[in-house]
């Protein structure tokens, strides 16, 4: 590891005060709602927005894209930075929909902690399981919030057991619910041995009123139904006698998850979660690079680009690079080295990100995410640094499952079409591939899900004024060839597959189904195929 003996006290203090986390969940578990409520309690907004706005309700802060507001889903990752108490929080809100899981994978590369949000009635769901595996690969600390306790839900003990059995995580219930559904009365905070009895507010748009009482307060017998209170005591006694103790070393290693119960919509338990999370969460730590592990207190600034976004401000047709600060202090107008391009870049006009809204900033520290104007200089996975050269690990592409030619029926819109495809590819909205047949110039969209196609066409129309057509291709499996074109040429002719090239001019084999893929592998054992694209470092993708 690179030493940080020369770290300034100011830098060390700044790192201590920062917490950075991403929220992962299955669609409809309430992720955007929880995000809004965390902002509400953090004082970043004064009234929380509903995901699907009704009447005078304001739109959700994190869902700023027009299509997100129309459909009531999260399509793109959002960064929200705010101060709570004396801590600086960088909240990375990710899409829950499986069609946008690649955006979530990239965002998790910039996170120090993960909050796993679950619907209390459904427990673990498929998309959450996929995202959990990514968190496990990165050994991220995972905090679990069981949401919607004010609706019919599964038994809390059953939910804990499911996490332990299916994920192999030890659990520690930080709070315990008092009832559920219509009988949900609040939660018991095990840390302070206090009952938090909540008063419901209209749609939870403002901070919930609550009554906080100690364990032995005589008023509890009047405020909680006796039968419900008796059930609660039995469950609490069981988890306190048979359950494990909280071990922060295990939490930080990703082997134990602190568990919280509540309802984001009605604000039950949200503030308790936020307070405990800040005490338990991992602060920014070392990151692996070509020069060894770089501690956040290393005196030289470094960071990496994990996301690009075009047209966050449609009036200015802007392109923003999201940069995770990894070490040192970032300062406005500083000159840094660009690892891939091998040249110096001045970082002027840096921005503090708050969903679609932004404001200028003059400094940032490890754990922070900053926005930089991107005139085509940055690509996902790029490293910027000062001092000795280093490069952080790249971010891989995953195997798409849907493929289609994207056609521009209006030749007069060629420039807009070309620009739109280039920028959407750069930000990772979709993977772009090309036919080996030079006569077929139309790009091939390669997506994880159908909704990605719809988003690309929607954004080309709304942001670039280009109507497009899709010609679906009959493939559902993509594999990259280890060893590239040379390895592919040695094998000779292949049947039941199509060969295309990706944006880095690497061969990709497309198959109609998994059976076709397995047949080719059996017939050609020397051919090694991968479901994940080789990590790109130091290379610029080819022109669209």
């Amino acid at each position: 590891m690179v030493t940080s003996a020369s770290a300034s006290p100011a830098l060390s203090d700044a790192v201590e005060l920062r917490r950075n986390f991403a929220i992962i969940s299955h669609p409809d578990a309430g992720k955007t709602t929880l995000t809004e409520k965390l902002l509400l309690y953090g004082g970043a907004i004064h009234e929380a927005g509903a995901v699907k706005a009704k009447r005078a309700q304001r739109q959700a802060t994190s869902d700023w894209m027009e299509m997100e507001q129309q459909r009531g889903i999260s399509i793109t990752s959002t960064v929200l930075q705010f101060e709570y108490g004396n801590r600086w929080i960088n909240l990375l809100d990710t899409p829950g929909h499986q069609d946008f899981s690649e955006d979530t994978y990239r965002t998790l590369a910039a996170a120090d902690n993960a909050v796993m949000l679950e619907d209390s009635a459904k427990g673990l769901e498929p998309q959450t399981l996929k995202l959990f595996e990514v968190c496990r690969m990165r050994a991220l600390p995972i905090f679990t919030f069981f949401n919607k306790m004010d609706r019919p839900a599964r038994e809390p003990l059953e939910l804990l057991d499911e996490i332990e059995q299916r994920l192999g995580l030890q659990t520690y219930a930080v709070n315990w619910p008092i009832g559920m559904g219509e009988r949900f009365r609040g939660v018991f905070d095990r840390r302070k041995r206090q009952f938090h009895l909540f008063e419901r507010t209209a749609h939870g748009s403002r901070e919930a009123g609550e009554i906080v009482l100690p364990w032995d307060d005589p008023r509890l017998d009047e405020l909680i139904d006796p039968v419900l209170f008796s059930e609660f005591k039995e469950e609490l006694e069981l988890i306190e006698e048979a359950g494990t103790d909280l071990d922060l070393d295990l939490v930080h290693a990703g082997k134990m998850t602190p568990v919280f119960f509540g309802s984001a919509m009605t604000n039950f338990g949200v503030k308790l979660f936020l307070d405990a999370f800040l005490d338990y969460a991992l602060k920014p730590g070392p990151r692996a690079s070509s020069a060894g592990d770089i501690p956040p207190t290393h005196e030289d600034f470094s960071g990496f680009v994990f996301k690009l976004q075009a047209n966050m401000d449609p009036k200015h047709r802007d392109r923003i690079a999201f940069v995770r600060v990894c070490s040192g202090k970032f300062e406005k107008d500083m000159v840094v080295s660009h690892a891939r391009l091998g040249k110096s870049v001045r970082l002027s006009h840096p921005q503090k990100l708050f969903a679609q809204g932004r404001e200028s900033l003059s400094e940032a520290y490890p754990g922070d995410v900053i926005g930089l104007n991107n005139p085509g200089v940055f690509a996902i996975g790029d490293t910027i640094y000062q001092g000795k050269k280093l490069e952080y690990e790249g971010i891989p592409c995953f195997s798409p499952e849907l493929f289609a030619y994207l056609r521009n029926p209006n030749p007069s819109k060629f420039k807009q079409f070309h620009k739109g495809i280039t920028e959407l590819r750069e930000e990772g909205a979709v993977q772009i591939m090309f036919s080996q047949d030079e006569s077929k110039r139309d790009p091939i969209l390669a997506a994880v899900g159908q909704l990605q196609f719809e988003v690309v066409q929607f954004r080309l129309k709304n942001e670039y004024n280009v109507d497009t057509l899709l010609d679906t291709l009959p493939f559902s499996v993509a594999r990259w060839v280890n060893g590239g074109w040379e390895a592919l040429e040695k094998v000779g002719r292949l049947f039941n597959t199509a060969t295309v090239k990706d944006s880095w001019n690497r061969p990709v084999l497309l198959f109609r189904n998994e059976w076709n893929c397995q047949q080719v592998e059996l017939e050609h054992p020397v051919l090694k195929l991968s479901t994940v694209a080789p990590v790109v470092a130091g290379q610029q993708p080819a022109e669209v």
Side-chain angles (χ1 to χ4, degrees):
M1 179 186 289
V2 175
T3 60
S4 56
S6 57
S8 69
L11 178 58
S12 298
D13 291 346
V15 171
E16 288 288 339
L17 295 177
R18 274 157 174 77
R19 297 295 183 271
N20 167 310
F21 69 98
I23 303 180
I24 62 172
S25 76
H26 194 83
D28 300 323
K31 178 176 55 58
T32 299
T33 304
L34 177 63
T35 299
E36 289 285 306
K37 301 312 170 70
L38 293 172
L39 298 179
L40 176 69
Y41 279 101
I45 59 176
H46 299 294
E47 185 174 337
V51 178
K52 293 184 179 178
K54 297 180 181 178
R55 303 187 187 95
Q57 281 182 305
R58 52 178 292 283
Q59 293 282 5
T61 303
S62 54
D63 287 344
W64 55 268
M65 192 181 289
E66 182 180 350
M67 193 171 181
E68 293 178 310
Q69 296 172 357
Q70 288 178 4
R71 299 200 180 197
I73 58 173
S74 295
I75 287 172
T76 183
S77 297
T78 304
V79 177
L80 303 137
Q81 186 188 64
F82 59 97
E83 190 175 10
Y84 179 70
N86 66 339
R87 303 277 177 83
W88 280 101
I89 301 172
N90 286 273
L91 191 164
L92 308 175
D93 181 36
T94 64
H97 201 288
Q98 64 181 5
D99 288 9
F100 307 104
S101 54
E102 275 210 272
D103 201 14
T104 301
Y105 294 143
R106 289 189 289 265
T107 300
L108 287 172
D112 298 318
N113 304 273
V115 173
M116 184 168 65
L117 180 67
E118 301 295 334
D119 184 326
S120 297
K122 299 175 181 177
L124 291 172
E125 296 182 84
Q127 180 64 4
T128 314
L129 292 170
K130 286 183 182 180
L131 296 173
F132 168 77
E133 289 303 324
V134 179
C135 295
R136 190 198 294 274
M137 283 192 299
R138 299 201 58 248
L140 287 178
I142 296 173
F143 297 78
T144 302
F145 188 95
F146 281 110
N147 193 24
K148 303 183 182 180
M149 287 300 296
D150 58 325
R151 301 181 186 182
R154 290 167 59 186
E155 291 293 334
L157 289 169
E158 182 185 336
L159 293 170
L160 293 185
D161 185 63
E162 182 177 50
I163 287 181
E164 294 181 353
Q165 296 300 319
R166 296 187 66 184
L167 301 184
L169 284 178
Q170 295 184 51
T171 61
Y172 177 83
V174 181
N175 65 27
W176 197 254
I178 307 164
M180 55 190 176
E182 293 184 354
R183 300 173 73 208
F184 184 54
R185 197 67 189 85
V187 296
F188 175 69
D189 179 12
R190 294 179 65 194
R191 297 202 310 159
K192 297 184 178 180
R193 312 300 291 178
Q194 292 177 331
F195 288 90
H196 289 250
L197 307 181
F198 296 97
E199 299 173 1
R200 296 174 186 252
T201 61
H203 302 290
S205 60
R206 301 186 184 281
E207 293 186 28
E210 61 181 292
I211 303 170
V212 180
L213 299 174
W215 169 259
D216 56 356
D217 195 297
R219 288 174 290 174
L220 291 167
D221 292 326
E222 301 172 10
L223 294 171
I224 304 175
D225 175 79
V227 175
L228 180 61
F229 202 15
S230 176
E231 292 173 357
F232 160 78
K233 288 178 179 177
E234 288 179 9
E235 291 179 348
L236 184 66
E237 183 178 3
L238 181 61
I239 65 166
E240 295 198 332
E241 287 185 0
T244 55
D245 293 331
L246 180 66
D247 185 330
L248 285 183
D249 289 336
L250 291 178
V251 172
H252 292 165
K255 297 179 180 179
M256 172 181 279
T257 178
V259 178
F260 304 81
F261 295 87
S263 166
M265 181 59 73
T266 53
N267 297 337
F268 289 179
V270 176
K271 185 175 184 297
L272 281 174
F273 162 74
L274 185 56
D275 289 338
F277 170 81
L278 292 177
D279 288 343
Y280 297 159
L282 200 61
K283 66 183 181 183
R287 300 189 78 89
S289 81
S290 58
D293 288 348
I294 307 297
T297 50
H298 183 53
E299 61 177 339
D300 292 326
F301 163 80
S302 67
F304 71 93
V305 178
F306 68 92
K307 175 181 171 61
L308 301 177
Q309 184 72 53
N311 305 324
M312 290 180 74
D313 184 353
K315 295 178 182 178
H316 297 97
R317 295 294 180 192
D318 61 347
R319 297 160 76 189
I320 300 296
F322 289 58
V323 176
R324 156 69 194 243
V325 180
C326 297
S327 70
K329 179 182 178 182
F330 169 86
E331 294 180 306
K332 181 180 179 180
D333 289 323
M334 72 190 312
V335 176
V336 300
S337 297
H338 191 300
R340 174 171 57 82
L341 298 180
K343 67 178 186 179
S344 297
V345 179
R346 181 179 294 276
L347 304 182
S348 55
H349 308 296
Q351 301 169 31
K352 173 186 174 183
L353 297 162
F354 191 78
Q356 189 179 16
R358 282 155 297 158
E359 60 185 61
S360 296
L361 61 78
S362 58
E363 60 185 34
Y365 293 91
D368 289 344
V369 174
I370 59 177
L372 298 175
N373 289 328
N374 179 31
V377 172
F378 298 114
I380 290 172
D382 277 349
T383 296
I384 53 178
Y385 65 94
Q386 287 188 322
K388 182 182 177 182
K389 182 174 182 179
L390 63 92
E391 199 156 5
Y392 289 109
E393 295 174 331
I395 301 174
C397 296
F398 292 83
S399 180
E401 299 173 7
L402 298 174
F403 307 86
Y405 278 112
L406 183 70
R407 305 198 188 279
N408 169 29
N410 188 348
S412 67
K413 295 290 183 70
F414 173 76
K415 286 187 177 180
Q416 295 97 312
F417 176 76
H418 181 269
K419 180 181 180 182
I421 289 298
T422 298
E423 293 185 356
L424 292 179
R425 182 210 63 196
E426 286 176 351
E427 71 176 58
V430 69
Q431 291 184 50
I432 304 290
M433 298 179 180
F434 300 92
S435 172
Q436 281 189 287
D437 186 343
E438 292 299 326
S439 66
K440 296 180 179 179
R441 304 292 298 277
D442 294 317
I444 299 171
L445 300 190
V448 174
Q450 181 64 36
L451 200 50
Q452 272 185 283
F453 286 162
E454 295 178 31
V455 168
V456 168
Q457 289 190 287
F458 180 90
R459 292 185 62 187
L460 284 171
K461 173 64 176 175
N462 282 265
E463 297 172 21
Y464 302 92
N465 195 29
V466 177
D467 288 301
T468 54
L469 300 173
L470 281 178
D471 289 347
T472 305
L473 292 169
F475 305 109
S476 64
V477 175
R479 294 291 183 266
W480 279 265
V481 179
N482 294 352
W485 294 106
E486 184 179 347
L488 189 60
E489 288 169 4
K490 289 180 180 178
V491 173
R493 189 175 180 185
L494 298 175
F495 295 95
N496 296 319
T497 181
T499 304
V500 299
K501 53 189 178 183
D502 69 6
S503 293
W504 281 266
N505 198 31
R506 301 173 299 201
V508 184
L509 302 184
L510 303 185
F511 302 91
R512 289 178 180 270
N513 50 48
E514 286 283 355
W515 186 84
N516 286 148
C517 177
Q518 291 168 6
Q519 283 297 110
V520 168
E521 289 180 306
L522 285 172
E523 293 169 4
H524 304 279
V526 297
L527 185 66
K528 303 301 180 184
L529 304 180
S530 174
T531 58
V532 180
V535 173
V536 177
Q539 295 182 38
Q540 174 74 3
E543 280 293 317
V544 172

